Amino acid sequence: SQKIEQNSEALNIQEGKTATLTCNYTNYSPAYLQWYRQDPGRGPVFLLLIRENEKEKRKERLKVTFDTTLKQSLFHITASQPADSATYLCALSLGSGNTGKLIFGQGTTLQVKP
Amino acid sequence: GAGVSQSPSNKVTEKGKDVELRCDPISGHTALYWYRQSLGQGLEFLIYFQGNSAPDKSGLPSDRFSAERTGGSVSTLTIQRTQQEDSAVYLCASEASGGPGKNIQYFGAGTRLSVL
């Protein structure tokens, strides 16, 4: 069966450390993968997109890797801050012919402690 | 508008009643999506509109769910004869057809539906 899985347990880290979140998938061949941030009571906000032919993407303190052999994406936040505390969702897009609909993981909640 | 707007923000209804949820996408965005998020879960795709093409309804969970998009802009998601398992947050997203915003979905804050 097709599955997309993220760390189900909350991730607690100390301010200033690097947070690493994992997204694993099975039986999909995504054209690209995205990471979103969701705060309580709000809709998800786009952070980064990485395509199947890209290994790594960076944006400020954020870094995403995409390994299509392992079927895994890692999301890193360096020099983490309490304001980074939120739920982070990974989402797959199967690309053209499958519309732009996204298949989401259940999310990982990150708590950064001062 | 500045962003995707959804209304109402909260809706409480009785089992068996019909409800309508509204989404105003970002002006000029041709694609519009509806998702459902149950407590502690990821988002579940419901339906997708792209321009004048036939919508992709593959995610609608039953024939009690329907959606329309009038004039290529505002969309309404209708749930008939609501059931308690319909309780969730219903999220709408819009997407540009080209340019730097392509493939990026912009979400509204959602409508929290509670069926008693």
Side-chain angles (χ1 to χ4, degrees), chain A residues 28-42:
Chain A
Y28 286 115
S29 295
Y32 55 86
L33 184 146
Q34 300 185 6
W35 285 87
Y36 285 77
R37 168 182 173 142
Q38 187 173 26
D39 292 282
R42 311 285 288 269

Side-chain angles (χ1 to χ4, degrees), chain B residues 3-9 20-27 29 31-35 47 49 67-78 90-95 106-111:
Chain B
V4 177
S5 177
Q6 292 188 244
S7 60
S9 54
E20 284 189 353
L21 312 180
R22 177 187 167 103
C23 174
D24 280 273
I26 293 172
S27 178
H29 280 192
L32 187 147
Y33 304 81
W34 283 97
Y35 294 89
I47 189 169
F49 296 89
E68 61 178 22
R69 188 178 185 193
T70 54
S73 181
V74 171
S75 177
T76 302
L77 177 69
T78 301
Y90 290 81
L91 289 156
C92 173
S94 69
E95 178 184 324
Y106 296 84
F107 285 83
T111 294

Side-chain angles (χ1 to χ4, degrees), chain A residues 1-71:
Chain A
S1 63
Q2 296 176 315
K3 285 194 301 186
I4 175 169
E5 291 184 336
Q6 297 184 245
N7 318 62
S8 58
E9 295 189 8
L11 182 62
N12 294 294
I13 65 167
Q14 204 67 34
E15 182 177 8
K17 300 293 186 184
T18 295
T20 298
L21 285 67
T22 304
C23 177
N24 294 293
Y25 59 93
T26 57
N27 296 325
Y28 286 115
S29 295
Y32 55 86
L33 184 146
Q34 300 185 6
W35 285 87
Y36 285 77
R37 168 182 173 142
Q38 187 173 26
D39 292 282
R42 311 285 288 269
V45 174
F46 170 79
L47 296 175
L48 281 169
L49 179 154
I50 187 164
R51 301 189 183 280
E52 60 179 334
N53 59 348
E54 298 174 316
K55 296 293 185 187
E56 182 178 299
K57 253 316 183 33
R58 291 175 184 260
K59 178 183 174 183
E60 297 173 353
R61 295 184 295 111
L62 308 180
K63 184 177 85 171
V64 173
T65 63
F66 193 13
D67 189 325
T68 54
T69 301
L70 289 179
K71 296 187 182 295

Side-chain angles (χ1 to χ4, degrees), chain B residues 8-28:
Chain B
S9 54
N10 284 283
K11 176 71 177 179
V12 180
T13 190
E14 293 178 350
K15 178 181 172 181
K17 300 283 190 184
D18 298 352
V19 295
E20 284 189 353
L21 312 180
R22 177 187 167 103
C23 174
D24 280 273
I26 293 172
S27 178

